[in-house]
Amino acid sequence: MYFGEFQDLRNLNMPNSHDFDLYEGYYSEFQVTILCDKEAVNPADSLKGLLTGLGVDVTTVSEFTDVRVDSELVVVLQAEKCGEAFNTYAMEKGIMWLPVQFSHSTGRIGPIIVPGYSACYECAQRRSSSNGLAPLEPKNEMFDLSWSVLSGVIAIETAKWISRHTSSFPPLSLGHMIDFDAFHLQGEVNPIYKLPTCPSCGTRNQARLGAQPWRESDLVLGQ
């Protein structure tokens, strides 16, 4: 469904761009897991359909223990409910994941979390709170079209991440949180930095103080 849009990007012939990730069948090399509550108002169906349409091998699970640790990325829906618990689990297992929070028509996507390198989910929550960003409250209803729009954004961010080694289009959610109101079609992108005092991943909570040499380019280029 979305392959045509990626093909249009290739036809732009942008300087220094690589289009190895745009040929049909490329995404079949990757496996993505979607963690989703079966009773949630924002189901995984639309996101799974978009990724499957690209050829991605998608597995949908509802339990932490069913998540494939070899997934190129785990997309965690309803992170507003289970984000903190999964953050601990992902750090123990070394799972790369993308938290997605959603409330009625507003979503928060990211940041992509790479244990040991990037800011963790607790870093993101504490940074957001210190900047006056109110938490999204889970609701029992949603605006369906808004979730469809957000699913498209999540699918694009996922595709950018799994093709990061061959593409010149790194995901915006790497090192950033995308706050988007899909009903009014407006939002903002906020940088998220690793928090030295984070109780989950901060270096000040370890036996020694250590440098944090993480750079976004290292994750994209695999250096």
Side-chain angles (χ1 to χ4, degrees):
M1 182 181 298
Y2 272 74
F3 177 73
E5 294 186 19
F6 283 91
Q7 199 167 34
D8 290 341
L9 289 175
R10 176 174 58 186
N11 293 335
L12 291 176
N13 294 320
M14 297 181 67
N16 302 318
S17 66
H18 303 282
D19 60 6
F20 301 111
D21 59 321
L22 303 179
Y23 66 79
E24 194 166 9
Y26 173 84
Y27 292 99
S28 62
E29 303 173 13
F30 303 104
Q31 198 284 326
V32 170
T33 298
I34 301 175
L35 177 64
C36 179
D37 184 347
K38 293 180 179 179
E39 305 299 325
V41 295
N42 53 322
D45 297 350
S46 56
L47 175 59
K48 182 177 181 179
L50 291 171
L51 292 174
T52 301
L54 285 173
V56 180
D57 176 14
V58 181
T59 301
T60 303
V61 301
S62 58
E63 301 292 337
F64 291 4
T65 53
D66 293 330
V67 169
R68 290 181 54 173
V69 296
D70 62 338
S71 295
E72 191 67 29
L73 187 69
V74 176
V75 181
V76 179
L77 306 184
Q78 300 91 43
E80 68 277 5
K81 294 181 179 180
C82 66
E84 292 184 5
F86 189 78
N87 187 58
T88 301
Y89 183 80
M91 290 181 65
E92 292 175 353
K93 302 295 184 180
I95 297 172
M96 295 181 290
W97 63 293
L98 175 66
V100 176
Q101 304 175 62
F102 182 73
S103 180
H104 192 256
S105 65
T106 301
R108 285 183 187 150
I109 304 169
I112 291 175
I113 298 170
V114 182
Y117 291 91
S118 70
C120 74
Y121 185 76
E122 188 157 358
C123 288
Q125 293 301 94
R126 288 173 177 254
R127 291 282 190 187
S128 298
S129 177
S130 65
N131 290 328
L133 192 62
L136 289 183
E137 297 295 334
K139 294 184 178 180
N140 295 324
E141 58 182 15
M142 72 168 183
F143 186 58
D144 291 348
L145 288 177
S146 292
W147 177 240
S148 297
V149 171
L150 283 166
S151 294
V153 176
I154 299 165
I156 290 175
E157 287 298 288
T158 301
K160 287 180 178 179
W161 173 254
I162 63 180
S163 63
R164 64 192 181 281
H165 297 306
T166 56
S167 172
S168 56
F169 301 101
L172 187 59
S173 54
L174 179 60
H176 300 83
M177 179 183 289
I178 304 171
D179 202 322
F180 188 66
D181 183 338
F183 182 78
H184 296 97
L185 297 180
Q186 61 185 11
E188 57 184 20
V189 178
N190 298 302
I192 300 293
Y193 302 106
K194 197 166 184 177
L195 191 64
T197 57
C198 175
S200 295
C201 71
T203 55
R204 293 185 184 179
N205 293 284
Q206 299 174 5
R208 295 181 179 179
L209 289 175
Q212 300 184 53
W214 172 72
R215 297 182 305 168
E216 292 179 11
S217 59
D218 294 340
L219 298 178
V220 174
L221 300 176
Q223 296 177 346

